[in-house]
Amino acid sequence: MTALELAQSPVTPVPVTAARTRVGRAVQAIPMVVFGLYVLVGAVGPLIIDYSPVRGDLDDRLLSPGSVTSDGSTAFFGTDALGRDLLGQVVYGARTSIVIGLLVVAFSGLVGIALGTFAGYRRGITDVAVSRVIDVLVAFPGILLAIVIAGVFDRSLMIVVIALTVTNWVSFARLSRSMAMSLRERDWVRSATVMGLPRRTIVTRHIVPFLAGPALALATTEFAGAILAEASLSFLGLGLPPSSVSWGQTIASGKEYLASAWWISTIPGIALALLVISVGFTGDLFTRHVGRRQ
């Protein structure tokens, strides 16, 4: 074939769309992979790393990352002012954050979906009462209400969960209420009502299943918010007791040593930021996926 024929021959286009799609999916999967690593570290890490939040060696205080401790081990993330291993605090703090996030989302979802669905389907005085409670809680800053509740009672994990649940259930209630008001006008719900099915059956079979997708997308966002709120309460000294490990407590304990031992606050702060960001991006992916399906 001559050069002229080669120049005049049609050029096959390069299939770049599929490659871009694969790259895009790989990038979108990064936050979910990061979140999965956090869950793995929180679940398996405490079984491998032995750590006590109330026991430290003052001979090993304020060691920089990678230093060798007095017992011959390596402090990969350094130590704090009491000689406690920072790696153990990060690992155990991951478990604490994930457990609290799951409990808050579970309780908030159950309360919010139950009240919102019931109010949206029944309407009338029930809807008015639930709506007024939601309006009051929305007008009042949630973190301030959590601070008040956590400050009144003794510091414990259950008090933190209750304080955050009191404010977080509102988002689930607003979502489920609006969807229940829309779904109750659908043909299949009207048909079930005409057939004389009990209200409990109509709600559980014909309304609640349609809330699963949007509620799951909202749960990821609320999960990140609960983790950040718990760290904020612990940072202020209103969250978990000293016998528990929390990233907020670790960050607070290192704020006086930022100039000389930056790693005490910086490393847990980075771990907290990565977890919240990865969960946030994961929630955005779920939200877009649910939006395309509706």
Side-chain angles (χ1 to χ4, degrees):
M1 181 178 293
T2 64
L4 180 59
E5 292 175 341
L6 287 174
Q8 294 177 348
S9 61
V11 179
T12 303
V14 179
V16 295
T17 304
R20 290 178 180 177
T21 302
R22 288 194 295 268
V23 173
R25 290 177 179 176
V27 172
Q28 292 178 353
I30 292 177
M32 291 184 287
V33 172
V34 173
F35 177 57
L37 290 176
Y38 272 94
V39 174
L40 182 63
V41 169
V44 180
L47 303 177
I48 301 176
I49 299 177
D50 186 19
Y51 174 77
S52 174
V54 297
R55 185 179 69 247
D57 191 346
L58 294 180
D59 294 333
D60 298 329
R61 65 188 303 268
L62 300 179
L63 294 179
S64 60
S67 301
V68 179
T69 61
S70 58
D71 60 1
S73 60
T74 302
F76 293 100
F77 288 173
T79 59
D80 63 3
L82 298 178
R84 297 173 298 186
D85 183 28
L86 203 61
L87 175 61
Q89 296 184 46
V90 171
V91 171
Y92 280 70
R95 181 183 65 177
T96 301
S97 296
I98 292 173
V99 168
I100 290 179
L102 290 176
L103 290 176
V104 171
V105 169
F107 292 147
S108 301
L110 289 176
V111 175
I113 292 176
L115 291 178
T117 304
F118 186 70
Y121 180 76
R122 289 290 302 270
R123 302 300 299 273
I125 187 63
T126 303
D127 184 33
V128 172
V130 174
S131 298
R132 295 295 79 79
V133 174
I134 291 176
D135 293 339
V136 171
L137 293 177
V138 169
F140 195 82
I143 188 63
L144 292 182
L145 182 58
I147 290 174
V148 171
I149 297 175
V152 171
F153 301 94
D154 294 334
R155 298 165 61 180
S156 66
L157 185 145
M158 188 53 61
I159 293 300
V160 172
V161 172
I162 293 174
L164 298 179
T165 301
V166 168
T167 58
N168 285 10
W169 69 270
V170 174
S171 300
F172 291 95
R174 295 175 66 183
L175 173 66
S176 57
R177 174 181 173 273
S178 61
M179 293 197 64
M181 292 174 62
S182 175
L183 291 171
R184 71 191 299 270
E185 305 298 332
R186 300 293 177 91
D187 293 337
W188 63 85
V189 177
R190 289 180 175 273
S191 299
T193 305
V194 171
M195 293 174 61
L197 293 178
R199 291 178 177 176
R200 180 185 304 176
T201 303
I202 296 176
V203 171
T204 56
R205 292 186 181 180
H206 302 288
I207 293 181
V208 172
F210 291 90
L211 301 176
L216 180 61
L218 178 61
T220 55
T221 304
E222 294 298 323
F223 181 82
I227 292 175
L228 192 59
E230 181 275 322
S232 301
L233 291 177
S234 297
F235 181 85
L236 297 174
L238 300 174
L240 299 177
S243 58
S244 302
V245 184
S246 170
W247 285 338
Q249 290 180 354
T250 305
I251 295 172
S253 66
K255 67 179 183 296
E256 299 179 358
Y257 303 93
L258 290 176
S260 58
W262 54 267
W263 54 87
I264 301 177
S265 294
T266 302
I267 294 179
I270 293 175
L272 175 62
L274 286 178
L275 178 57
V276 172
I277 292 173
S278 62
V279 174
F281 277 114
T282 302
D284 291 339
L285 292 176
F286 276 124
T287 302
R288 290 198 297 268
H289 178 70
V290 171
R292 288 195 298 265
R293 295 185 60 183
Q294 289 183 342

